[in-house]
Amino acid sequence: MNNRKLYDDFSELEKQTNRSVEQINKIKEKLMNVIERNAELEIENQHLRDRLEELEQQKQSTGNGLSKSRKNLEKLYEEGFHVCNVDNMYGTRRLNDEPCVFCQNIIYGERHA
């Protein structure tokens, strides 16, 4: 093997090594970006979970999650009026504030979203 060929082979190996180092650096940079983005998303996810938990607690503490219209009906019912329309009783006073199953079903019954 002559010296020129040896030098050319060594020079080619150096170029390949430099290209490999460049590729490694690019991959390292992309990996760092992915790790940073992942950390940001984990923090955001935790904040969203905390907010969701906070909203769930608020929902439980304010009227068992009733809609505004059902809350209005509940208020009328608690003031002693019928909110059901059985035998045209809507808006009439309940006798001795006795519970009305029909009114309670309208207020607290199955809700469809």
Side-chain angles (χ1 to χ4, degrees):
M1 198 180 250
N2 66 25
N3 288 338
R4 181 75 180 154
K5 172 105 171 93
L6 183 61
Y7 181 80
D8 289 343
D9 288 346
F10 187 76
S11 183
E12 182 61 31
L13 181 61
E14 182 183 26
K15 289 177 186 177
Q16 289 176 358
T17 303
N18 288 336
R19 283 193 300 265
S20 295
V21 169
E22 287 177 21
Q23 287 178 335
I24 289 171
N25 286 334
K26 287 179 184 178
I27 291 172
K28 181 180 176 183
E29 185 178 327
K30 288 179 182 179
L31 179 62
M32 290 303 298
N33 289 336
V34 168
I35 290 171
E36 287 175 15
R37 182 69 177 145
N38 187 40
E40 290 171 1
L41 290 174
E42 284 179 358
I43 291 169
E44 182 179 357
N45 195 2
Q46 186 59 48
H47 287 185
L48 290 172
R49 286 183 181 168
D50 293 344
R51 179 67 176 140
L52 182 61
E53 184 178 321
E54 180 182 310
L55 290 174
E56 287 294 324
Q57 289 174 354
Q58 286 178 356
K59 183 178 178 182
Q60 290 175 359
S61 67
T62 57
N64 298 325
L66 295 176
S67 67
K68 186 175 182 179
S69 58
R70 286 183 187 237
K71 287 179 186 177
N72 288 336
L73 291 175
E74 181 183 46
K75 182 179 178 183
L76 286 172
Y77 180 76
E78 288 174 355
E79 289 177 3
F81 295 97
H82 280 280
V83 294
C84 67
N85 201 19
V86 176
D87 294 330
N88 293 322
M89 295 185 70
Y90 180 82
T92 61
R93 274 241 177 244
R94 291 184 290 127
L95 299 175
N96 299 324
D97 289 331
E98 289 186 16
C100 175
V101 177
F102 300 109
C103 290
Q104 290 177 355
N105 187 44
I106 288 172
I107 298 169
Y108 305 109
E110 184 175 330
R111 296 181 275 278
H112 299 286

